[in-house]
Amino acid sequence: MKKYVCDVCGYVYDPEKGDPDNGVEPGTAFEDLPDDWVCPECFVSKDSFSPADE
Amino acid sequence: MTTSLFANIDWVGYVDWNVRDFHGYNTFRGSTYNAYLVRDERTALVDTVKAPYAGDLLKHVSSLTPLQKVDYVVVNHAEPDHSGSLPAVLKACPQATVVTNKKCQGILSGYYDTSEWKWQLVGTGDSLSLGSRTLSFLETPMVHWPDSMMTYVPEEKLLFSMDGFGQHYASGGRFDDEEPLETVLWEAKTYYANIIMWAGKPIQRALEAASGLDIGMIAPSHGVIWRSHLDRIIEAYKDWVVCRPTPKVLVVYESMWESTTQMARAIWEGACQQGVAAKLFDLRANSNTLLATEVLDAATIAWGSSTLNGGMLPLSGGALTYLKGLRPLCKAGFAFGSYGWSKGGAAAVQEMLEATKVELLREPLECQWRPTAEVLEECRRAGAMLADKATQLSCQTQPGG
């Protein structure tokens, strides 16, 4: 599963970790995040994320 | 009036004694917009001031050097309290190049007509030699906007920290050792709580990144410059980034016909009897600014509202919306309140506390019309429970605890 980076603030969504503070279980792919999920650090929506360079 | 930090590095900002409303933040002690001038073989102005004070800034700069000699204007943050004077500065210093990061360039281009501006884009690890001094850049996104950046002068161990470590505090003294320290620390706490509490994780990352620097002076963009008490403000930030709870109970309330007030007082009495710090906070007598400051280091919170039109009272609605956005961490509590012919106030508060990620310790504590002796006794027991939980939470989160 691929990591995604927030274009606005640089937060990295790591599917292995998920976003448990906001109800997203570890192991959740970025594509499977709910549509109303927002960046936990700067509040922008999913469409402001890009795949991380690895 | 300008103030020297080091030879040829001067404060050239503006002290705003009169500002009392900073986009909703009650700045009881005014503020300053700090800009700094670094003169060397080449000269750099680091940040500017709010637009109405551009003339004061230019007067300060020109008292030290001809405006034609300003080669660079470093922009650490695009928010208008720091960038508002850029159009006037660049008009007065047309040869100057704007030195900033890509995100900041984008925001500045949204605010101003930048078609004539010259740019030099920098990022973390880049530096700019002015001659005997160097400006090194450290991007610190979300401290306080995506573009936020700090600038470091290694030759002087000086960090221009932008909004980090700032305070809304107008003063005659420019340095932390020239003003009452506890007052300055209180204003730094108020600033943290109301401006950047929601960004604890990015601030933690910035602190870690800055810990690799040898820092002897921190010059923020608001308030006094830290040169004698860096340890105090850095230690305070380490607590604040995790909203480290102290054994403190906050009883926030808003009442129509004083039934919710009676409940609040009983909860507060119950907490006081357990020997913790407990505060009563009537929303009608206080500001949201003070509320956020009190929440930052509280461990537990009881929040009461009478029921109005089937929901909570409007000051509670506003204050809870404000607090939810500020995202305090590590808090526990519950809602309470009176109702008349139908319920709704306490449940609406409880829902907002949950949305603010406050750990809920019990169901809403409610009473109809006036609290009975039994209800007030239940309030006292609930207050004692809040106090015990506050002690427990503060012990759990002590360093090494």
Side-chain angles (χ1 to χ4, degrees):
Chain A
M1 285 186 289
K2 211 164 173 43
K3 292 180 184 174
Y4 277 71
V5 183
C6 174
D7 300 333
V8 175
C9 75
Y11 165 83
V12 179
Y13 177 77
D14 181 349
E16 277 183 27
K17 293 181 185 161
D19 178 17
D21 290 347
N22 295 296
V24 176
E25 297 288 326
T28 305
F30 182 82
E31 294 75 14
D32 296 332
L33 288 170
D35 289 341
D36 60 357
W37 181 83
V38 296
C39 174
E41 296 194 353
C42 77
F43 313 106
V44 296
S45 55
K46 276 179 77 177
D47 55 8
S48 292
F49 277 70
S50 305
D53 301 325
E54 285 183 80
Chain B
M1 193 173 69
T2 63
T3 305
S4 173
L5 279 64
F6 295 96
N8 295 322
I9 300 183
D10 297 86
W11 177 93
V12 291
Y14 181 77
V15 182
D16 191 346
W17 291 95
N18 295 334
V19 64
R20 289 293 177 274
D21 180 354
F22 195 94
H23 56 57
Y25 174 151
N26 297 131
T27 45
F28 302 108
R29 290 189 168 97
S31 192
T32 72
Y33 316 108
N34 296 338
Y36 302 94
L37 191 71
V38 184
R39 285 173 291 156
D40 210 306
E41 289 166 31
R42 288 167 294 281
T43 292
L45 175 64
V46 179
D47 294 306
T48 75
V49 301
K50 219 169 165 178
Y53 313 115
D56 298 85
L57 170 69
L58 289 169
K59 193 173 72 185
H60 292 160
V61 173
S62 57
S63 73
L64 297 168
T65 193
L67 293 176
Q68 299 72 25
K69 285 203 159 184
V70 177
D71 301 290
Y72 302 105
V73 182
V74 176
V75 183
N76 283 312
H77 182 22
E79 196 169 9
D81 51 334
H82 310 295
S83 71
S85 294
L86 273 174
V89 166
L90 293 169
K91 202 172 170 191
C93 313
Q95 74 294 341
T97 297
V98 176
V99 180
T100 192
N101 60 74
K102 195 160 180 274
K103 282 177 193 154
C104 194
Q105 181 191 36
I107 300 173
L108 292 172
S109 302
Y111 273 123
Y112 312 109
D113 175 5
T114 59
S115 52
E116 304 285 313
W117 296 10
K118 288 178 285 192
W119 302 92
Q120 181 170 338
L121 294 184
V122 294
T124 294
D126 290 341
S127 57
L128 175 66
S129 173
L130 300 177
S132 65
R133 266 80 164 256
T134 313
L135 303 179
S136 302
F137 305 101
L138 176 67
E139 288 177 275
T140 55
M142 307 326 291
V143 191
H144 137 237
W145 281 10
D147 59 302
S148 294
M149 182 171 89
M150 298 185 185
T151 297
Y152 178 63
V153 184
E155 293 83 1
E156 306 294 358
K157 303 178 184 176
L158 166 64
L159 182 69
F160 295 116
S161 62
M162 193 13 70
D163 281 341
F165 312 108
Q167 331 97 49
H168 283 315
Y169 180 69
S171 56
R174 292 276 66 76
F175 294 100
D176 57 349
D177 49 34
E178 297 175 331
E179 294 293 323
L181 181 60
E182 294 310 316
T183 305
V184 172
L185 284 167
W186 172 264
E187 289 304 333
K189 180 181 175 184
T190 302
Y191 185 93
Y192 183 92
N194 284 276
I195 300 283
I196 45 179
M197 177 155 65
W198 58 277
K201 280 183 186 164
I203 295 168
Q204 252 176 311
R205 284 200 296 273
L207 286 176
E208 281 159 22
S211 69
L213 304 174
D214 187 5
I215 298 171
M217 190 184 292
I218 296 177
S221 52
H222 295 290
V224 300
I225 297 161
W226 302 94
R227 70 176 176 190
S228 295
H229 302 289
L230 278 79
D231 52 335
R232 291 290 301 275
I233 187 64
I234 289 169
E235 283 309 304
Y237 260 64
K238 285 180 185 167
D239 285 344
W240 296 339
V241 291
V242 291
C243 295
R244 190 182 304 286
T246 59
K248 181 172 112 181
V249 176
L250 198 57
V251 183
V252 183
Y253 69 100
E254 183 182 9
S255 193
M256 286 175 73
W257 297 109
E258 306 315 319
S259 294
T260 300
T261 302
Q262 289 180 21
M263 296 174 79
R265 294 196 73 87
I267 293 168
W268 171 74
E269 283 167 13
C272 286
Q273 281 165 3
Q274 301 302 106
V276 300
K279 291 193 174 181
L280 264 178
F281 196 97
D282 185 347
L283 287 171
R284 293 170 299 183
N286 287 289
S287 67
N288 286 344
T289 306
L290 184 56
L291 173 72
T293 312
E294 291 290 1
V295 165
L296 174 60
D297 61 357
T300 54
I301 302 165
W303 193 304
S305 170
S306 313
T307 295
L308 175 73
N309 306 330
M312 69 177 102
L313 286 164
L315 290 178
S316 281
L320 281 163
T321 301
Y322 184 58
L323 206 58
K324 177 171 169 277
L326 287 171
R327 302 197 289 199
L329 306 168
C330 303
K331 310 301 171 205
F334 64 87
F336 66 96
S338 67
Y339 61 93
W341 62 94
S342 70
K343 293 185 178 184
V349 169
Q350 186 95 335
E351 202 177 301
M352 275 301 278
L353 291 176
E354 189 173 19
T356 310
K357 298 191 165 59
V358 174
E359 178 194 348
L360 297 176
L361 298 174
R362 55 162 295 156
E363 292 300 302
L365 207 172
E366 295 172 286
C367 84
Q368 190 172 24
W369 306 121
R370 278 275 181 263
T372 59
E374 290 75 28
V375 167
L376 292 176
E377 189 48 40
E378 192 183 354
C379 288
R380 278 187 279 274
R381 282 198 303 274
M385 180 265 289
L386 278 183
D388 293 343
K389 182 75 180 178
T391 305
Q392 185 197 336
L393 283 173
S394 62
C395 290
Q396 273 173 5
T397 55
Q398 286 304 312

